[in-house]
Amino acid sequence: MTENNLQTCTCLSIKQTAKLLKRNNNFIILTHSSPDGDTLGSGFALFYALKMLNKKVAVLCPDTIPEKYRYFVSNTDMVSESGAYVVAVDVADKALLGCYEEKFGDRVDLCIDHHISNTKYAKNLLLDSDASAACEVIYELLLCMHIKINDIIAKALYTGISTDTGCFKYQNVTAKTHKIAAKLYEYNIKADEINRIMFDTKSRQFLELERLVLDTAEYHFNDKCMVLTVTSEMLEKTGCSGNELEKIAVMSRSVEGVICGVSIKQTDADTFKVSLRTYPPLNASDIGSKLGGGGHKAAAGATVKGDLNSVKEKILQVIKEVMEQSNDGTTADK
Amino acid sequence: MTENNLQTCTCLSIKQTAKLLKRNNNFIILTHSSPDGDTLGSGFALFYALKMLNKKVAVLCPDTIPEKYRYFVSNTDMVSESGAYVVAVDVADKALLGCYEEKFGDRVDLCIDHHISNTKYAKNLLLDSDASAACEVIYELLLCMHIKINDIIAKALYTGISTDTGCFKYQNVTAKTHKIAAKLYEYNIKADEINRIMFDTKSRQFLELERLVLDTAEYHFNDKCMVLTVTSEMLEKTGCSGNELEKIAVMSRSVEGVICGVSIKQTDADTFKVSLRTYPPLNASDIGSKLGGGGHKAAAGATVKGDLNSVKEKILQVIKEVMEQSNDGTTADK
């Protein structure tokens, strides 16, 4: 989170946004750091659309774009920073611009987003917090701009929607999400191949890590809480990178009866990154903030220092407190 | 597969099927054995619809209905067999009627299905092989019958569509699938809860089995083939039942680069059930049939006798042959 901006942020309608984009000619599109399918899908769908209108467009991503998105990623233009119209897509806070925060953080002309937590750091904001993905917003915007959607735009948009909804699995899906997906299926998007890459493929290293992590499984509080641990040694041994670790967090909440999944990842000798995944009545952000971190209702995190045992002890103590305060009604006996 | 029936099977349109259902008053609806979301969703959606028309309807399932479907399953009527109109839903072959095959196999009045492999064992058949799920067909049928869909019907139909498509992930999804999902979202279906139960929940026993099975992982043919083994001992130790074993088959194909996933499950001292999951250019049914079984392009199976080592040897030999015959172009060096 950044401090409040002194500049005011104007909330725009889709129509106003479409006009603004048509009026400008040189664009820099910024994605968030640790790029996912939604920020990249939004960025490149908008890139291809603006190219159709003969604009000059650069897409800048603070981190390397993972190989798996190559089916819709392309080289973009070189655009001079001075005078460029800067658009951030799916970027809720300027801190998420990573290495581009310093240069662009205070000069984003337009942010297109779906996060209700958007910090309004941009001059103009097109925000639809009911949209499952920023790509839903971009889809509506392209329609309003009378852009003729093609296969590659459809692939980019579908990727964003599919990845941000866990392939239409999560609570953020609405009738509109499925209606847009139906429209995108009219193009040659090969959705099954996209989904196979995004959801059904893991590296052999990750499978090996999974095996090691499963050995660490601990259950607490009448088996309502599961704790998984990833040590530096495991990461070294398997050669697994951080990219796949989100899946360990998901794993921690996947067992029947578990409403609090905890995964503890060692990042340094005495530093552990804690990921929390909860189901109602537990609120992950209550736990995260008590640990000095933060997050959302169902997913939160924090960084905790100490040796593994004391870190675990601390986390479990906080979970116990939050469980007792929640409407759960059951005692959180360890 | 059963031998061809002497009786002829009449293929019906949705309109003809709607008329036929309206004309009858006492129904027995049959689901297939080892019931899944689609056969149950179809059966109960049709049950609730026919009840609205004041019909007497029994739903018969050859096996126990898993607890997880309880949110749309209900008690049904007692219907006398004689004179009842018998409808099979999502049942491609009468052999899949399990314990009801003997009684009803040759007297199914109407089959509603989406399997292109349907053996036309019923007197009348409503078949849409482009539908991702039988529930898609039932949805169209209910519309045609002017049934006022309600929450529980919508839940049943959504469950069938979601489970048969891997939550909109697989190749069988079409624009129509998403259009129907969008319509079902107009009801209070709590799709995220349904998907959580169907896709994101595993038993603690299964997690333990997963750990044991991962220890057996073997890679062959330049890592294009992965073999996982489930022994009787593992099943006994973990207390896992057959229901969750489909997931092991899926696991066997989930590793990057693997185009042939093999899972071998011991069913007896010297009997092994082999599940094959492939990606193009490999065809699972080519492998399955050479092993004395069968299946589809991407999923097939067979039962192989012998000790574990000789069974593995046999399977790998067949895979090698099929790989060499396929358009893969690479040699299948072990």
Side-chain angles (χ1 to χ4, degrees), chain A residues 148-168:
Chain A
K148 211 170 155 338
I149 289 179
N150 58 19
D151 289 350
I152 201 160
I153 292 179
K155 281 181 190 196
L157 293 175
Y158 179 86
T159 302
I161 292 172
S162 172
T163 52
D164 254 29
T165 60
C167 209
F168 306 92

Side-chain angles (χ1 to χ4, degrees), chain A residues 122-318:
Chain A
K123 289 190 195 80
N124 298 287
L125 174 62
L126 171 60
L127 177 72
D128 179 358
S129 60
D130 291 331
S132 70
C135 278
E136 264 197 36
V137 189
I138 300 278
Y139 173 81
E140 301 277 350
L141 179 62
L142 299 196
L143 282 198
C144 180
M145 289 168 76
H146 304 292
I147 296 291
K148 211 170 155 338
I149 289 179
N150 58 19
D151 289 350
I152 201 160
I153 292 179
K155 281 181 190 196
L157 293 175
Y158 179 86
T159 302
I161 292 172
S162 172
T163 52
D164 254 29
T165 60
C167 209
F168 306 92
K169 214 164 36 177
Y170 300 146
Q171 211 176 352
N172 57 356
V173 174
T174 64
K176 195 174 168 186
T177 316
H178 279 292
K179 271 181 206 158
I180 295 175
K183 286 289 177 192
L184 297 177
Y185 260 80
E186 290 171 14
Y187 302 89
N188 183 25
I189 57 172
K190 300 195 174 84
D192 59 311
E193 287 180 21
I194 294 177
N195 293 325
R196 171 181 156 190
I197 296 170
M198 297 302 153
F199 299 105
D200 287 342
T201 306
K202 38 180 125 180
S203 68
R204 194 164 155 179
Q205 293 97 305
F206 181 73
L207 202 78
E208 174 61 15
L209 180 68
E210 228 177 19
R211 196 179 67 83
L212 297 173
V213 169
L214 284 177
D215 279 339
T216 72
E218 283 175 28
Y219 297 84
H220 297 275
F221 312 129
N222 297 323
D223 301 343
K224 285 188 179 175
C225 171
M226 183 189 192
V227 181
L228 296 174
T229 308
V230 185
T231 62
S232 303
E233 202 190 343
M234 292 177 194
L235 293 173
E236 242 166 72
K237 196 179 160 191
T238 58
C240 261
S241 71
N243 266 344
E244 291 193 296
L245 291 171
E246 161 67 17
K247 289 182 196 159
I248 300 285
V250 172
M251 248 166 80
S252 73
R253 195 185 52 179
S254 68
V255 171
E256 232 169 344
V258 168
I259 59 170
C260 183
V262 181
S263 53
I264 305 175
K265 189 194 118 197
Q266 189 170 24
T267 55
D268 209 340
D270 68 341
T271 313
F272 293 85
K273 204 171 160 271
V274 184
S275 291
L276 302 151
R277 295 289 180 278
T278 59
Y279 282 129
L282 268 197
N283 187 325
S285 77
D286 289 349
I287 304 167
S289 54
K290 279 194 181 217
L291 288 167
H296 305 278
K297 215 167 61 178
T303 298
V304 184
K305 291 210 165 234
D307 63 276
L308 181 56
N309 280 333
S310 70
V311 166
K312 254 190 218 166
E313 204 54 50
K314 191 171 171 187
I315 297 166
L316 290 172
Q317 182 55 39
V318 167

Side-chain angles (χ1 to χ4, degrees), chain A residues 56-108:
Chain A
K56 275 191 82 176
V57 191
V59 179
L60 301 184
C61 179
D63 297 311
T64 309
I65 298 177
E67 258 297 286
K68 64 178 176 178
Y69 299 108
R70 64 176 168 269
Y71 57 91
F72 69 77
V73 165
S74 85
N75 289 327
T76 63
D77 302 328
M78 296 288 290
V79 173
S80 148
E81 281 163 31
S82 66
Y85 192 78
V86 179
V87 184
V89 286
D90 194 43
V91 182
D93 187 288
K94 66 180 178 182
L96 298 170
L97 293 173
C99 62
Y100 291 119
E101 185 188 357
E102 206 184 318
K103 196 179 275 174
F104 294 112
D106 292 321
R107 54 160 295 203
V108 175

Side-chain angles (χ1 to χ4, degrees), chain B residues 92-297:
Chain B
D93 187 288
K94 65 181 181 183
L96 298 170
L97 293 172
C99 62
Y100 291 120
E101 184 187 358
E102 206 184 317
K103 196 180 275 173
F104 294 112
D106 293 319
R107 57 159 294 204
V108 175
D109 295 295
L110 169 66
C111 174
I112 302 172
D113 195 14
H114 71 121
H115 293 95
I116 199 164
S117 58
N118 190 291
T119 57
K120 303 195 172 180
Y121 60 91
K123 288 191 196 78
N124 298 288
L125 174 63
L126 171 60
L127 176 72
D128 178 359
S129 60
D130 290 331
S132 69
C135 277
E136 264 196 36
V137 190
I138 299 278
Y139 173 81
E140 301 278 348
L141 179 62
L142 300 195
L143 282 199
C144 180
M145 290 169 76
H146 304 292
I147 296 291
K148 212 171 154 335
I149 290 180
N150 59 19
D151 289 350
I152 200 160
I153 291 179
K155 280 181 190 196
L157 293 175
Y158 180 86
T159 302
I161 292 172
S162 173
T163 53
D164 254 28
T165 59
C167 208
F168 306 93
K169 216 165 32 178
Y170 300 148
Q171 210 176 354
N172 56 356
V173 173
T174 64
K176 196 174 167 185
T177 316
H178 279 292
K179 271 182 206 158
I180 295 174
K183 287 287 177 195
L184 298 176
Y185 260 80
E186 289 171 14
Y187 303 89
N188 183 24
I189 57 173
K190 299 195 174 85
D192 58 312
E193 287 180 22
I194 293 176
N195 292 326
R196 172 180 155 190
I197 297 169
M198 297 302 153
F199 300 104
D200 287 342
T201 307
K202 39 182 125 180
S203 67
R204 193 164 155 177
Q205 293 97 305
F206 181 72
L207 203 76
E208 175 60 14
L209 180 67
E210 227 177 17
R211 196 178 67 82
L212 297 174
V213 170
L214 283 178
D215 280 338
T216 72
E218 282 175 28
Y219 297 85
H220 297 274
F221 311 128
N222 296 323
D223 301 344
K224 284 187 180 177
C225 170
M226 184 190 191
V227 182
L228 297 173
T229 308
V230 185
T231 63
S232 304
E233 203 190 344
M234 292 178 194
L235 293 173
E236 240 166 72
K237 196 179 161 192
T238 59
C240 261
S241 71
N243 265 343
E244 290 194 294
L245 291 174
E246 161 66 16
K247 288 181 196 160
I248 300 284
V250 173
M251 248 166 79
S252 72
R253 195 187 48 179
S254 68
V255 171
E256 233 170 343
V258 168
I259 58 170
C260 182
V262 181
S263 52
I264 305 175
K265 191 193 116 198
Q266 188 169 26
T267 55
D268 209 340
D270 67 342
T271 312
F272 295 84
K273 204 172 159 271
V274 184
S275 291
L276 302 152
R277 295 290 180 279
T278 59
Y279 282 130
L282 268 195
N283 188 323
S285 79
D286 289 349
I287 304 167
S289 54
K290 280 193 179 215
L291 288 166
H296 305 278
K297 213 167 61 176

